[in-house]
Amino acid sequence: SIMKGFKNYINEEISDIDDITQKVIDNENLFFISTGENKSKENKLISPDDFKKFIEIIDKKNNYDFILFDSPTLFGSIDSKIITRLVDANILLFNLDNTSKKFIKRSLTTLDELGIKTIGVILNKKNSDIDNNLFDFKTFFEKYLKLLKQLVKF
């Protein structure tokens, strides 16, 4: 059985956010809300107002230091475009086995042009068979980190 979660809340099947908030086993300070299940045949799109209200309720009702949202891919997802605009900052995740440097640059440039704050990038799954010269990430991220330092004061 799938846990109740975000979809159930957005579809108004559950009214109390506490009913979908799950505690992570063996970590008393970590909680999560699953995607949940969609009982209806049609997927209700997230409206910016619904998601903003969701964030405000979580923030008001609980005392969390950080709230992380795992959203669908940035390009091709309306939900991600809504989420990126409503959160304080974004961290992008890229799979190096099938993501080009050009795509990563395009993603960061697009977010920057839209005024969407991005504070980091996570690169994973780099296959050791890939030629290291294919990705000149050192130069790319040195420039990116300079830009980040200008935008974000740590």
Side-chain angles (χ1 to χ4, degrees), residues 77-119:
S77 168
I78 293 172
D79 292 347
S80 286
K81 290 180 175 102
I82 291 169
I83 292 169
T84 57
R85 292 178 184 275
L86 294 176
V87 298
D88 294 330
N90 293 276
I91 301 171
L92 301 179
L93 173 68
F94 293 103
N95 177 339
L96 291 180
D97 283 347
N98 61 13
T99 305
S100 69
K101 179 177 155 183
K102 183 178 178 180
F103 180 80
I104 294 172
K105 279 186 173 182
R106 183 175 138 231
S107 300
L108 294 169
T109 301
T110 300
L111 290 172
D112 185 50
E113 288 172 353
L114 294 172
I116 295 171
K117 186 175 179 180
T118 304
I119 60 168

Side-chain angles (χ1 to χ4, degrees), residues 100-142:
S100 69
K101 179 177 155 183
K102 183 178 178 180
F103 180 80
I104 294 172
K105 279 186 173 182
R106 183 175 138 231
S107 300
L108 294 169
T109 301
T110 300
L111 290 172
D112 185 50
E113 288 172 353
L114 294 172
I116 295 171
K117 186 175 179 180
T118 304
I119 60 168
V121 174
I122 298 172
L123 305 171
N124 72 357
K125 295 187 180 179
K126 182 169 184 328
N127 186 331
S128 60
D129 295 338
I130 295 175
D131 181 7
N132 285 330
N133 295 324
L134 182 62
F135 297 101
D136 183 18
F137 286 113
K138 184 176 183 221
T139 304
F140 173 68
F141 284 107
E142 282 173 353

Side-chain angles (χ1 to χ4, degrees), residues 35-89:
T35 302
E37 61 184 337
N38 193 2
K39 290 184 179 180
S40 74
K41 299 237 184 224
E42 50 188 71
N43 259 341
K44 179 180 178 185
L45 291 176
I46 301 172
S47 77
D49 290 339
D50 284 345
F51 197 76
K52 186 175 183 178
K53 181 179 169 188
F54 180 73
I55 292 171
E56 288 169 354
I57 289 168
I58 291 173
D59 198 32
K60 181 180 176 184
K61 201 161 190 164
N62 301 293
N63 189 22
Y64 298 121
D65 293 328
F66 298 99
I67 301 171
L68 304 174
F69 295 97
D70 180 11
S71 68
T73 182
L74 182 60
F75 297 106
S77 168
I78 293 172
D79 292 347
S80 286
K81 290 180 175 102
I82 291 169
I83 292 169
T84 57
R85 292 178 184 275
L86 294 176
V87 298
D88 294 330

